[in-house]
Amino acid sequence: MRIRTAAVAVGATLLLALGACTAAEQQDAKSETAEAGEHAENAAQQAGEVLESGAMKAAQAVESGAGAVADKLEANQAEAAAEGRPGAIDPSTDQRVPAPAN
């Protein structure tokens, strides 16, 4: 929203510059255009930082959640392998518990 507002301000300033009659008015309009451009650039940079920090936090949450799930699954498999349940994999050896022979 801030970027759009800044872009509108730049556009309006450019229109003023085109319609200015005197050299002084044209110079003032150019100065205002440059200032509006700087504000737009600053707003875009800030928005980029906010987006990047949000993405970083989301990635950290996913990483943390995935680690917790992996730990729980590993504990479940270790328990199942220790009980001798067929198909379970012992995490310490990566060996599958075989199915009973018929």
Side-chain angles (χ1 to χ4, degrees):
M1 191 64 109
R2 294 181 89 178
I3 296 170
R4 184 176 289 164
T5 303
V8 169
V10 170
T13 305
L14 284 173
L15 286 175
L16 287 174
L18 291 174
C21 297
T22 67
E25 289 174 331
Q26 289 177 1
Q27 185 57 44
D28 286 346
K30 286 179 186 178
S31 296
E32 290 174 11
T33 301
E35 186 177 338
E38 287 176 22
H39 288 300
E41 182 180 358
N42 290 340
Q45 286 175 346
Q46 183 178 359
E49 293 301 329
V50 168
L51 290 173
E52 187 175 338
S53 67
M56 178 189 70
K57 291 292 185 185
Q60 289 171 337
V62 168
E63 181 180 31
S64 176
V69 169
D71 291 345
K72 179 147 179 77
L73 292 172
E74 186 174 335
N76 289 348
Q77 283 295 293
E79 182 182 329
E83 292 174 0
R85 287 191 251 160
I89 294 179
D90 183 347
S92 63
T93 63
D94 280 338
Q95 296 295 313
R96 186 174 300 279
V97 175
N102 290 348

